[in-house]
Each structure stands twice: as structure tokens, then as C-alpha cells.
Amino acid sequence: MGEGQSRREILAGSSAALLTAALPACGRAQEAPKRKLGYAIVGLGSYATRQIMPRLKDCESAKLVALVSGTPEKLERFGSEYGIPKTHRYSYANYDRIRDNPDIDIVYVVLPNSLHAEYAIRASQAGKHVLCEKPMAVSSAECEAMIAAAKKAGKKLMIGYRCHFETYNRHGIELIKSGFIGTPKLITSEHGFNAQPNQWRLDRPLSGGGSMMDIGIYSLNAARYLTREEPFEVYAMESTDKSDPRFRNVEDRIDWQIRFPSGALAMCASSYSSNHNNWRATGTEGWVGMEPATGYEGHQMWTRKQGRTEQVALPAPAKNQFVAQLDHMAECAMGGREPIVSGEEGLRDMRLIEAIYRSARENKPIRVGGA
Ligand code: NDP
């Protein structure tokens, strides 16, 4: 965090104490659940098996009841590990039979990006609520079709924007909302990692795009949740070394600016060839920033105000971001509330991603509505 590091202090008062209590109860049960809702996990890859499935046992409103996979060996292995009976294990071919399984309330789509729309829509058509990983899909038209399918089924649709459930990110949102940094003027956010070759993320038909779709979306979404505004203009620049075999058909680096109606500006970066994970919101009175900002754990936050830089240390939450996200979906499904990160939220990001790509291609700012 540059300047902040030399003078940082573990926070013992000011911003954290002031606002921790004000965190919304999102992710905590707001009404006593009658039963735990059942999740079916679709796609038993890295994120599903390492981050999501182990967390379901910690949920108070949800549990794991079914698995969907194209790999019979995974169905056998994870089915045994999690005690999922054979009747609740599905292939992609017989996936639509989830319709006949009343134990499945929510389908969590954790597939490569270009498969999100199809499997989310089929789940809605089977009468299930849907939690779908980010990016919501690979085009705004697909996002609109997913929203329409969920509406038609009268079921919920939520996107896996887990940072909205992460304590420090939530605290940052609350700090800015409270006026701690004054009027927000500049958001910076960079996200990136060194992409390993030979994976679906580098294969456009499965990924829908390069780093922007996968990791840059964290910078974009942060700019929106920190300002709580919708941009009216984007201006982007792509830099991809096409001689690198990883980037034959997807972009490596993309940098963009977005302008908000209040006058705030966001400068964002996305990369598949360097490591970044941060955001900072600077206003007329000070700043708040995080690095790492959006990882699975180890979040760190600093604030600066009146010439004083402090590191913020928040108490451990009752639920980590994964558990809070899974419970939130179940509680929305049960209680009829809209998820805080609904399909519309995913659609807004996808429209902006399309504008960012177009701006980079045409080398000009693109109006996106808003002001
Ligand atoms: P993986 O490659 O690890 O897993 C994807 C799984 O999808 C595969 O293991 C496979 O499961 C299934 N699959 C079905 N068809 C294909 C295909 N044609 N090619 C490859 N896999 C296929 O990916 P991740 O788990 O890392 O990512 C999955 C989704 O989750 C992505 O949309 C990604 O953006 C999102 N994600 C979100 C994160 C977050 O923090 N919110 C973090 C990481 C990923 P099976 O063998 O069971 O069929």
C-alpha cells in the first residue's frame, strides 16, 4: 500500500470500531430457517471442490445434496466423500432430471464461462433457484436470457460475487458511504495473475475472453460497489503480446477508465501476465484501500485521513465470505428477497465489459448511459 506501510498501525479505534457494528446483516439468517435448502453443484472443478463444497457444512441455511459432473470418477469420489447417494449424482446428459428431485432447491453453476447461461437456464426451467459463478455469462444477451428464465420460473438468480460478502470489502463500502473519505474522487483497482498455459481460460469459446472476463471483473465490480454509481463512459486500452502462445485468442492485459456521474473516475487494470490484487478509493478527505483486496483470505486494509495512516483490523466474522454467500442465496430463496448480487448485477458488469472491449478495439471512449 506504498505510503501507508511506513506509518501503519493496527487500528484500535477510529474507523473500524466506528463502523463494524454498522455492517448489514447480509449473509446472516434474518429469519429462522425452517430447513436447510439443498444445493446441487454443477462442475466439479477447482473452485467447486476446493472452496465451495467444503464450506457447505458450515452453513446454517444450506447443505450439499447433489452433484453434477461430466467425469464419472469425480462423481464417485466426491459422492462418497460428501455422502451423496447415487440417486443424487447427475451427468450433463441427464442433468434435466434434477427437476424430479425435490431435495434440490438451488443449483450452483461452477462451469467454464461459456456454459453458464445454458446450465443456469436449464436449472431455472427445472424449477430451481440458481447461483451462477462470475462472469455471469459471455454476453449481455445471454445474461438477459438467464434473467428472463429465472423470472419465468419465479425463482431467484444470484451471481457469485463473493466480495460483497467479505468483511473488509463490506467495511470499505460502509466507510465510503459514511463519508469517511469525503467525496469519492478516484478509485484505482488492479487485478491479475500469471495465467498457466493449456487451460479453458485461454480458449475463447469456453472463456468468452481473456483476463477481463476472469479477473479484471473484480476491478470493475469494485469500482461500482465502492462508488455505488453506474458509469456513463468507459475508455480502454489492450496490450497483448500475440507471440505469447497463451494469448492466441484472448487478451492478456487491458486497462480502462470509467467515469461516474458524480465526477468520480475509476482507473482499472486486468492482467494475465502479472500479479495484482488491490483497490483504493480516494476522496476529498482521505482514502481507504486494500491489498490483497479480493482473495480467498488474508485481506488487508488501510485508511488515511488527517495525515494519519492506519491499518484496519476487523474482528473475525461469524461466517467467512463463502459461507455468507451460500447462506444468503438460501435465505433469499426461502424468504423471497432479491439477492444483493442478482442477475441484474451480473448483467450490468457484462454490458460494461462489452463496452470496454469495444473501446479498446475502436480506440475511443464509449458512452454507456447513466448521466
Ligand atoms: P476448473 O477448470 O477448475 O473447473 C471447471 C469444471 O467444469 C471442470 O472441472 C469440469 O468439471 C467442468 N467442465 C465441463 N465442461 C468443461 C469443459 N469443456 N472444459 C473444462 N471444464 C469443463 O475451473 P474453475 O473451477 O477455476 O472455474 C469454474 C468457474 O468458477 C468459472 O466460471 C470461474 O470464473 C469461476 N471461479 C470463480 C471464483 C471466485 O472466486 N468466485 C474462483 C475461481 C473460479 P467436471 O469434470 O465435473 O465436469
Side-chain angles (χ1 to χ4, degrees):
M1 279 265 124
E3 173 189 20
Q5 282 170 332
S6 60
R7 303 185 52 196
R8 73 186 178 206
E9 298 165 11
I10 297 295
L11 193 71
S14 63
S15 66
L18 181 74
L19 285 156
T20 301
L23 280 172
C26 165
R28 293 174 202 136
Q30 298 193 331
E31 56 274 326
K34 291 186 182 68
R35 66 177 178 103
K36 289 189 175 191
L37 295 200
Y39 270 91
I41 304 291
V42 187
L44 304 183
S46 170
Y47 189 59
T49 61
R50 294 186 195 171
Q51 305 304 329
I52 300 302
M53 283 155 56
R55 261 64 181 241
L56 273 153
K57 67 174 181 342
D58 300 324
C59 290
E60 58 185 358
S61 304
K63 60 183 177 182
L64 179 62
V65 297
L67 301 174
V68 183
S69 172
T71 312
E73 180 274 325
K74 289 186 193 170
L75 283 176
E76 183 57 39
R77 179 158 44 103
F78 291 112
S80 303
E81 183 181 336
Y82 285 94
I84 308 297
K86 287 199 165 48
T87 51
H88 290 49
R89 301 177 194 173
Y90 299 86
S91 68
Y92 299 123
N94 69 14
Y95 172 65
D96 299 307
R97 288 197 205 144
I98 59 171
R99 176 193 303 274
D100 306 320
N101 189 336
D103 293 339
I104 301 172
D105 301 287
I106 303 164
V107 171
Y108 192 168
V109 179
V110 204
L111 292 164
N113 308 339
S114 69
L115 302 173
H116 289 183
E118 177 191 342
Y119 284 84
I121 289 169
R122 281 165 70 184
S124 296
Q125 288 169 345
K128 308 299 180 184
H129 302 283
V130 175
L131 174 51
C132 179
E133 258 317 313
K134 46 56 60 179
M136 180 171 173
V138 296
S139 71
S140 55
E142 283 188 347
C143 296
E144 284 161 6
M146 291 162 75
I147 291 169
K151 277 210 176 94
K152 189 170 176 202
K155 299 290 172 181
K156 301 295 175 200
L157 171 60
M158 174 168 145
I159 310 306
Y161 286 120
R162 58 178 167 72
C163 299
H164 291 246
F165 301 91
E166 193 283 313
T167 309
Y168 281 89
N169 280 275
R170 293 203 67 98
H171 185 62
I173 295 167
E174 292 299 316
L175 272 180
I176 295 166
K177 214 191 279 185
S178 76
F180 180 84
I181 65 166
T183 305
K185 289 290 179 187
L186 177 68
I187 311 292
T188 56
S189 185
E190 303 162 9
H191 283 81
F193 62 92
N194 246 307
Q196 295 303 305
N198 306 318
Q199 53 161 323
W200 64 260
R201 284 180 170 77
L202 303 174
D203 183 16
R204 182 176 290 274
L206 284 170
S207 61
S211 71
M212 182 71 230
M213 284 279 181
D214 189 62
I215 190 77
I217 195 169
Y218 286 93
S219 296
L220 178 62
N221 199 247
R224 290 182 47 248
Y225 63 69
L226 294 170
T227 57
R228 291 173 296 115
E229 285 190 79
E230 296 306 328
F232 68 90
E233 188 179 87
V234 307
Y235 197 2
M237 182 177 73
E238 186 198 325
S239 340
T240 300
D241 175 1
K242 286 287 176 195
S243 70
D244 185 327
R246 294 177 299 172
F247 305 130
R248 285 207 183 96
N249 67 8
V250 297
E251 83 279 0
D252 168 13
R253 186 178 179 94
I254 193 153
D255 297 85
W256 70 97
Q257 294 182 356
I258 42 188
R259 293 170 65 198
F260 294 98
S262 66
L265 180 80
M267 297 176 65
C268 301
S270 172
S271 172
Y272 262 168
S273 58
S274 46
N275 290 311
H276 313 251
N277 192 306
N278 61 60
W279 59 250
R280 183 189 282 193
T282 304
T284 49
E285 310 287 325
W287 57 255
V288 53
M290 288 187 66
E291 183 161 8
T294 60
Y296 297 156
E297 57 193 2
H299 305 90
Q300 302 220 45
M301 172 177 271
W302 284 264
T303 59
R304 183 166 175 84
K305 194 168 166 125
Q306 291 166 349
R308 198 175 152 81
T309 303
E310 293 180 329
Q311 185 167 8
V312 177
L314 298 175
K319 294 178 186 181
N320 68 29
Q321 57 184 326
F322 302 98
V323 175
Q325 172 181 258
L326 290 160
D327 267 344
H328 179 76
M329 175 75 211
E331 287 153 18
C332 288
M334 238 177 308
R337 283 176 294 140
E338 267 315 293
I340 59 168
V341 277
S342 63
E344 280 75 8
E345 176 75 5
L347 170 62
R348 280 191 275 270
D349 273 353
M350 191 52 58
R351 285 186 176 142
L352 288 168
I353 289 173
E354 288 172 341
I356 286 166
Y357 281 142
R358 189 178 147 212
S359 171
R361 231 176 17 246
E362 298 180 5
N363 191 23
K364 64 176 193 196
I366 302 289
R367 300 289 287 196
V368 287

